[in-house]
Amino acid sequence: MPASRFTVSDVMTHTAVAIGREASYKEIVELMHQWKVSAVPVLEGEGRVVGVVSEADLLPKEEFRCTDPTLPEQLEDASKAGAVLAEELMSSPAITVHPDAPVAEAARIMARKHVKRLPVVNALGMLEGVVSRSDLLKVFLRPDEELEEEMRRNVLTELAPGVDVDFSVQEGVVTLRGPLRDRALVPLLARAIRAVEGVVDVRMELETTIAA
């Protein structure tokens, strides 16, 4: 099965907004508002990522303005209500991703960790950019013609050489039609097509028979 050719470096924002440990609460809010971002990495030294301040880290100041925490799980958030500097507010260690990671891996990290943005760091932990949920969705902007060419070149040629199967791509949805003698190829084809970055769905309209 062909590997995805899209990595985080293909879709990330290379010019990232970042702050230092001594950035103030108000400075962070103003920066997020100005650049329309939901989180900013915290750097030290020559650019090593040591944490991230997100909207979730900032909200306790408002949430616990007039009330005290009532549940044990609220204590950590409540402690940030009195924080005024990035080093007090940040979540650390930062959840990061490498630029050569597949787009799918970044999506899994975001979903598992419930974050909207990931700092992209090199092997030394130095900031190279930021990837957001909206960045990951860029793969679905690929034109149908490009998806069709990739499937013809990488998927059908590798998995079903010599098999005469018609397929079409419309709005990212791939439809396969025609006879297919080997029924075992159906799940393999479906899995390989779904692995192509930008494919929205796969529909099989195949007439299958067991190979002689």
Side-chain angles (χ1 to χ4, degrees):
M1 185 181 302
S4 167
R5 64 184 181 87
F6 277 81
T7 63
V8 168
S9 63
D10 294 319
V11 298
M12 73 182 192
T13 301
H14 290 266
T15 304
V17 181
I19 57 176
R21 286 179 175 271
E22 300 301 313
S24 70
Y25 184 100
K26 188 168 183 177
E27 179 184 350
I28 298 168
V29 174
E30 289 174 343
L31 201 61
M32 286 184 176
H33 177 73
Q34 178 185 351
W35 291 95
K36 295 179 172 58
V37 295
S38 58
V40 289
V42 182
L43 310 182
E44 71 175 9
E46 297 182 357
R48 187 169 63 88
V49 178
V50 293
V52 171
V53 176
S54 69
E55 292 170 334
D57 296 314
L58 299 172
L59 281 176
K61 190 173 289 295
E62 186 64 29
E63 180 182 358
F64 298 107
R65 181 180 299 280
C66 301
T67 60
D68 294 322
T70 56
L71 300 174
E73 57 266 29
Q74 292 179 319
L75 292 176
E76 182 178 352
D77 284 345
S79 69
K80 292 186 178 182
V84 295
L85 298 178
E87 64 182 359
E88 302 166 329
L89 292 158
M90 69 183 185
S91 298
S92 182
I95 301 167
T96 62
V97 68
H98 292 295
D100 58 353
V103 168
E105 180 181 333
R108 283 193 294 271
I109 293 173
M110 287 186 187
R112 190 169 64 248
K113 298 297 185 178
H114 305 289
V115 296
K116 299 178 182 179
R117 297 166 64 83
L118 291 172
V120 182
V121 301
N122 62 19
L124 299 176
M126 308 294 280
L127 184 68
E128 293 199 353
V130 171
V131 64
S132 67
R133 290 176 177 177
S134 60
D135 289 329
L136 299 184
L137 294 176
K138 289 177 183 176
V139 296
F140 293 104
L141 298 177
R142 299 180 70 190
D144 292 341
E145 295 77 13
E146 186 177 321
L147 296 175
E148 183 175 329
E149 174 59 28
E150 181 170 342
M151 282 183 293
R152 191 185 310 280
R153 184 178 63 251
N154 295 337
V155 177
L156 295 180
T157 301
E158 286 193 21
L159 289 181
V163 175
D164 186 20
V165 175
D166 292 328
F167 73 95
S168 62
V169 185
Q170 186 171 8
E171 296 296 314
V173 177
V174 181
T175 303
L176 272 69
R177 300 182 178 88
L180 186 66
R181 296 190 64 190
D182 190 351
R183 188 177 301 171
L185 283 175
V186 174
L188 295 178
L189 281 171
R191 193 177 306 118
I193 292 171
R194 286 195 177 94
V196 175
E197 298 287 4
V199 168
V200 175
D201 195 15
V202 182
R203 296 174 182 172
M204 296 290 193
E205 299 179 5
L206 298 168
E207 303 167 12
T208 60
T209 58
I210 300 176

